[in-house]
Amino acid sequence: MAKSKVLVVGGTGYIGRRIVRASLDQGHTTYVLQRSEIGLDIEKLHLLLSFKKQGAHLVQGSFSDQQSLVEAVKKVDVVICTISGVHFKSHNILMQLKLVDAIKEAGNVKRFLPSEFGMDPATMEHALAPGRETFDQKMIVRKAIEDAKIPFTYVSANCFAGYFVGGLSQLENLTPPKDKVRLYGDGNVKVVFMDEDDVATYAIKAIDDPRTLNKTLYLRPPENILSQRQLVEIWEKLSGKKLEKISIPGEDFLASMKGMDYVNQAGMGHFYHIFYEGCLTNFEIGEDGEEASDLYPEVKYTRMDEYLKIFL
C-alpha cells in the first residue's frame, strides 16, 4: 500500500518538529504548514527551511485564511496537528476547530490526528480547575471531529521525558536535583514516561494502520510504566548518589496551589492527577483503544535509564 501524504500543522513546535522528522524518516511525503503569523521569528523560519532541506514541502497557510487551510489539506491524506495546548506556552487548542472545518470542506482526508499527545481527556471529566480547561477544550475538538465524520486517531502519549524525567518530576527543574527530591505522596503511583522521539515514531506508525482508525492510541510501553520513586532509584543507581526524599501529602500539595497564578495552578492540577490519582494508569484500555508497543513491537523505545544517562 502506498504511504499516505502527511500535513503537519504546528511543525515548529516541541512535538511537531519530531512528528515532521518521523514522517520523513518513515518515507511519507511530508508537508509542513508555514503560517504567515511567524512574522520575524527567524528560529521558526530556519527550522522550516531545515525541514525543506530534509525533503519536506512547505505550504503556505493561515488560521485567519480558511481557504488557505482548505488548499493545504487537499494536498494530503493525513493531517496531524500539534499546536500548543499547555498554559505556560500558548493555549491554542480551539484554533483546531478551523482546521476541522477545512478538513470537512476538503473532503479528502483519510485520517486526522488532533493536538492531544498527553493524558486522555475522555478520562478527565473530574479534573481540577483551571487545568481542566485543557481537557474540556480537547473534548470540544473531538466532538467536532466526530460530528463531521472525519476519520481520526487520538494519541495519548502521557508524560514527556523532557519535562518529567530529567528533573525526576520536580515542578521547577528539568535536570536532576543535587541533594533532595520531593516525592508526591509515597511516590509509588504508576506513571508512563515517554521519550518524545518515540511519541512521534508511534504516531506516524499509526496513520496508515486500520487497527487505529477511529480509536485512541495509548503509549504505554511496559518498561516505561514507573513510579516516581522508581525513577528516583534509577537515577540514584546511575549517579551513585542517594538523595534525601521528602514526601508531600496530597492535601499539602493542593493547599500549596492557593494564591498561585492561573498558569501554575493549571500545571499543578495536572501533576496532582498524574502523581496522586494515577490518572495515566488507573484504567484499562477498552475496545475503543489500542496500545502502541503491542501494535508495533519493532519499535525499540527508549527506556528511562538510557534517557537519564545524558545527565551524568
Side-chain angles (χ1 to χ4, degrees), residues 210-275:
R211 296 172 296 178
T212 60
L213 178 62
N214 295 337
K215 289 190 175 184
T216 298
L217 181 69
Y218 294 93
L219 276 51
R220 282 189 188 178
E223 291 189 42
N224 284 5
I225 301 174
L226 302 165
S227 67
Q228 186 198 10
R229 184 179 291 276
Q230 287 175 307
L231 189 67
V232 170
E233 289 169 353
I234 289 170
W235 173 247
E236 288 177 330
K237 184 176 179 181
L238 286 170
S239 66
K241 184 177 181 181
K242 289 286 184 184
L243 297 173
E244 178 189 353
K245 298 168 188 69
I246 303 167
S247 177
I248 306 174
E251 57 271 22
D252 291 356
F253 186 89
L254 290 173
S256 71
M257 292 170 58
K258 293 177 182 175
M260 288 188 169
D261 62 28
Y262 187 95
V263 170
N264 280 304
Q265 283 193 27
M268 288 187 70
H270 292 177
F271 264 67
Y272 182 81
H273 297 308
I274 292 167
F275 291 104

Side-chain angles (χ1 to χ4, degrees), residues 157-216:
N158 300 304
C159 288
F160 296 156
Y163 286 103
F164 286 89
V165 175
L168 306 184
S169 300
Q170 303 300 283
L171 278 161
E172 70 285 349
N173 286 74
L174 297 177
T175 56
K178 301 295 184 186
D179 302 304
K180 53 191 172 184
V181 61
R182 291 191 299 277
L183 295 179
Y184 305 112
D186 60 11
N188 290 324
V189 170
K190 293 292 185 179
V191 181
V192 187
F193 301 105
M194 290 299 304
D195 181 285
E196 293 84 342
D197 291 338
D198 294 339
V199 171
T201 297
Y202 283 124
I204 296 298
K205 286 269 186 187
I207 62 177
D208 284 330
D209 189 343
R211 296 172 296 178
T212 60
L213 178 62
N214 295 337
K215 289 190 175 184
T216 298

Side-chain angles (χ1 to χ4, degrees), residues 66 69-70 73 97-108:
Q66 192 69 9
L69 294 179
V70 173
V73 165
L97 294 175
K98 294 182 178 180
L99 189 56
V100 171
D101 287 342
I103 292 169
K104 184 179 179 181
E105 182 177 340
N108 61 294

Side-chain angles (χ1 to χ4, degrees), residues 4 76-78 108-112 150-152 207-208 213:
S4 288
V76 300
D77 309 298
V78 172
N108 61 294
V109 168
K110 298 175 183 175
R111 197 79 64 98
F112 178 38
I150 295 169
F152 64 84
I207 62 177
D208 284 330
L213 178 62

Side-chain angles (χ1 to χ4, degrees), residues 26 198 201-202 205 292-293 296-303:
Q26 293 182 41
D198 294 339
T201 297
Y202 283 124
K205 286 269 186 187
S293 65
Y296 314 113
E298 69 276 10
V299 175
K300 301 296 189 286
Y301 64 87
T302 303
R303 277 64 170 173

